[in-house]
Amino acid sequence: GHEAMASRFFPRSPLDAGALDRAHACTEDRNPAAPAAIPPAAQLFTHAEDVRVLAQAAGMDGAQSLLHVDAVEQLFSRLVLQAFGQSPHQQDLPDSPRVFATVVFLRELLQHLGFAHIRVETEELA
C-alpha cells in the first residue's frame, strides 16, 4: 500500500521528480490493464487521515465527503509541478512521504479500478 510506497520511493524530503516517476511506474506495472471485476454499485470509503489531508488540499470542506477522480488528478498534477520545483509554494502539498505516496496510490487505484470517487469519512468505519 501507500505506506510501503512511502518508505521505498520517498525516503526523504523534499520531493524528488525521479522518485515520483519510479513510484508511478511501479504502481502502473502492478495494476492490471483491465479493471478488476467490481460490481457496478461498488464504492470506496476511507477514514485515513492522509486522504482527509488531500481532500482538504483539493478544496473539499467538511460538508462534502466525496473526493472525485478529477480532484485526485489535479492533486497529482500539483505533485508533479512540486517535484520539478515549478509549483507556487501556496499550492504545494504537505512535504510528507506519506502524502506523496497517497496521491500516487489513490490516483492509480481510482483510474485502474474505474471508481469515480472515494468517500472520505470523518470518523473511523465500524
Side-chain angles (χ1 to χ4, degrees), residues 1-3 5-6 10 79 96-106:
H2 69 283
E3 290 180 13
M5 182 185 290
F10 307 112
L79 193 62
S96 159
R98 287 179 57 96
V99 169
F100 306 153
T102 302
V103 172
V104 174
F105 188 81
L106 187 57

Side-chain angles (χ1 to χ4, degrees), residues 3 24 27 60 69 78 82 98:
E3 290 180 13
H24 178 256
T27 306
M60 187 178 98
V69 69
R78 286 169 57 184
Q82 187 173 334
R98 287 179 57 96

Side-chain angles (χ1 to χ4, degrees), residues 49-115:
E49 181 61 27
D50 295 327
V51 179
R52 276 195 293 258
V53 166
L54 292 175
Q56 289 173 344
M60 187 178 98
D61 60 19
Q64 186 183 17
S65 63
L66 298 179
L67 183 58
H68 291 275
V69 69
D70 341 350
V72 174
E73 285 296 329
Q74 290 172 1
L75 289 168
F76 185 76
S77 295
R78 286 169 57 184
L79 193 62
V80 169
L81 289 174
Q82 187 173 334
F84 284 96
Q86 298 175 349
S87 171
H89 290 294
Q90 67 272 20
Q91 290 188 1
D92 281 355
L93 297 174
D95 191 26
S96 159
R98 287 179 57 96
V99 169
F100 306 153
T102 302
V103 172
V104 174
F105 188 81
L106 187 57
R107 177 182 185 253
E108 298 304 312
L109 181 72
L110 292 174
Q111 275 189 348
H112 290 283
L113 297 181
F115 287 100

Side-chain angles (χ1 to χ4, degrees), residues 1-25:
H2 69 283
E3 290 180 13
M5 182 185 290
S7 64
R8 179 174 177 194
F9 295 105
F10 307 112
R12 62 187 175 283
S13 293
L15 179 59
D16 172 81
L20 180 59
D21 187 49
R22 288 187 297 278
H24 178 256

